[in-house]
Amino acid sequence: MSEVKAKKWFGQNFLKDSSVLEKIIQSMPHNDNIVVEIGPGLGDLTKRLLHKKDVIAFEIDKDLCNILQKKFKKEIEEKKLLLNCGDVLRFWENSLVDKPYDLVANLPYYVATNIILKALRDKNCKNILVMLQKEVAQKFAAKNGDKEFSSLAVLANSTGKVKKLFDVKPSSFEPPPKVTSSVLLIKKSTYLDERGFEDFLKVAFLATRKTLLKNLSKKYDKKELEKIFAQLNLLPNIRPHQATTSIYHRLYEILEKRKVDGEKPEPQSKPTTKE
Ligand code: SAM
C-alpha cells in the first residue's frame, strides 16, 4: 500500500478486491436515500458509492482525511460528498444525519457492534449494508434455534429483515485481517426505541447454557415466571437461543410493562418497537 501506512488501532484493513467492492454495490437497496459511509479509508468504496448516490462520510484518521479531501475535491465542491473528519461516535446524537439514509460501509471491526446497534436505534437509518468480522455477522443474522442466536439477533430482527449475504477472505484486504469477513444486510422497517428492552435481553442471555427461566429469575420472581411461561406455552427448560424474537417481546411486555402500567397487558399486543 503506497499511499499511507495502515493504522491497526483504527481497524484499517483496506478492501482492494474490485469484485468484492462491486458485489457490495450490487447488494445496495434500491431507493432514494442518501448513503452514509463510516470509515471511507482510501476511498475505494466511496468512489463506487458516488457513482450511485450522494454520500456523507465519517473518517477518524486525519491523514486519510487529507488524502480523501484531495482525491474527492470535485465531488466535495459539487456537494455530492460531505466528508466529516473525526470519530463517528462523537457525531452520533439520536440520529447521525438529519434525513433518511442507508449505511454502507466496510466497518472498523473494533467498533462494528457498537456502530450497528447505534444504527438500529437511529430513526433515520433505513438500511444497513456492512462488512464486519464473520462471527459477529453470524450473531446478528442467526435464526432462533441456531446456537449463535443472541440478543444481537433479537435486536436486529426486531427492526426488520436480516441476512448475511457473503463471506470475504482476508486476502481481499490490505493488510489482510486475521479473520474472515462477511457482508451483512439489515433491511429496517422500524427502529429500536426502548433501551429497557435491550437491558431485558442482557438478563435473558446472561448465561447461554442455562435455561431462559434461570437467567430471568436473576431479576424476576421465579414463581411468577413459571406462571407466565405456562401462559405463553413455553417449556420451562427452554434455552435463551430457542425462544423467538416475538416471545422476547411478549415476555418483556408482561414483565416490564405491567410494572409501569400496573395492569395486565392484552394477550395479543404488539412488539415494543415503533412501526
Ligand atoms: N472503507 C475503506 C475500505 O473499504 O477499504 C476502509 C475500511 S477500514 C476496515 C475502516 C476505516 O474506518 C478506516 O479508514 C479507519 O480509519 C476508519 N475508522 C476507524 N474508527 C473510526 C471511527 N470511530 N469513526 C470514523 N472512522 C473510523
Side-chain angles (χ1 to χ4, degrees):
M1 204 174 49
S2 54
E3 282 166 291
V4 67
K5 202 169 169 353
K7 299 181 179 89
K8 254 193 190 167
W9 59 94
F10 282 148
Q12 292 178 356
N13 299 99
F14 301 103
L15 180 58
K16 288 292 164 192
D17 186 330
S18 53
S19 67
V20 178
L21 284 160
E22 248 346 283
K23 256 172 115 173
I24 294 174
I25 298 295
Q26 297 305 327
S27 309
M28 282 170 67
H30 300 280
N31 57 41
D32 294 332
N33 300 336
I34 54 146
V35 165
V36 164
E37 188 188 10
I38 295 175
L42 291 166
D44 295 76
L45 180 61
T46 322
K47 189 175 75 191
R48 286 169 170 83
L49 291 171
L50 282 165
H51 286 149
K52 297 259 169 198
K53 297 275 188 96
D54 288 357
V55 177
I56 300 180
F58 297 84
E59 175 54 62
I60 198 171
D61 184 345
K62 284 202 185 87
D63 297 333
L64 290 178
C65 252
N66 288 336
I67 291 173
L68 292 163
Q69 264 151 358
K70 285 186 198 121
K71 208 178 248 180
F72 295 107
K73 190 169 185 289
K74 184 164 159 277
E75 290 81 356
I76 292 171
E77 275 168 9
E78 287 171 354
K79 300 200 179 340
K80 278 191 69 58
L81 172 64
L82 176 64
L83 178 63
N84 297 288
C85 297
D87 181 348
V88 68
L89 300 178
R90 290 181 167 265
F91 289 88
W92 220 320
E93 307 265 305
N94 290 330
S95 284
L96 183 54
V97 298
D98 61 2
K99 50 188 152 190
Y101 73 89
D102 292 344
L103 173 62
V104 184
N106 171 18
L107 291 177
Y109 295 176
Y110 76 96
V111 68
T113 301
N114 196 2
I115 287 174
I116 294 174
L117 288 174
K118 280 190 165 290
L120 292 176
R121 293 180 201 125
D122 188 336
K123 195 176 176 178
N124 285 341
C125 177
K126 302 299 177 189
N127 296 288
I128 302 171
L129 176 66
V130 286
M131 172 117 67
L132 69 169
Q133 189 175 337
K134 183 178 177 179
E135 281 72 23
V136 184
Q138 274 167 336
K139 281 193 187 166
F140 277 104
K143 303 282 169 253
N144 79 289
D146 296 350
K147 68 176 189 327
E148 296 96 349
F149 191 70
S150 64
S151 57
L152 296 181
V154 176
L155 293 173
N157 268 317
S158 300
T159 65
K161 290 206 167 78
V162 192
K163 203 170 176 203
K164 182 166 86 67
L165 298 183
F166 54 89
D167 294 341
V168 182
K169 51 188 186 329
S171 60
S172 297
F173 301 85
E174 249 180 63
K178 290 203 172 70
V179 294
T180 300
S181 306
S182 297
V183 172
L184 179 77
L185 175 63
I186 306 176
K187 285 187 167 176
K188 288 176 67 188
S189 47
T190 182
Y191 63 98
L192 301 174
D193 73 337
E194 287 225 27
R195 291 302 274 264
F197 183 60
E198 297 182 39
D199 294 339
F200 166 75
L201 289 178
K202 281 189 193 135
V203 181
F205 283 90
L206 212 53
T208 46
R209 284 160 183 269
K210 294 199 174 140
T211 64
L212 178 57
L213 197 98
K214 178 117 188 153
N215 285 344
L216 290 176
S217 60
K218 291 261 182 257
K219 178 162 180 203
Y220 306 98
D221 179 68
K222 193 159 177 230
K223 288 264 169 306
E224 177 83 351
L225 283 168
E226 281 167 351
K227 257 196 269 166
I228 296 167
F229 271 49
Q231 190 188 321
L232 296 177
N233 284 328
L234 282 178
L235 292 173
N237 62 353
I238 190 170
R239 311 259 153 190
H241 71 280
Q242 293 171 316
T244 61
T245 297
S246 57
I247 283 292
Y248 280 111
H249 283 284
R250 290 290 293 121
L251 284 169
Y252 172 66
E253 214 168 69
I254 295 170
L255 290 162
E256 286 294 331
K257 290 291 172 104
R258 183 163 56 191
K259 271 199 214 159
V260 178
D261 303 343
E263 58 186 47
K264 273 194 163 189
E266 288 296 310
Q268 290 307 319
S269 55
K270 279 202 182 139
T272 49
T273 48
K274 281 195 178 143
E275 292 305 314

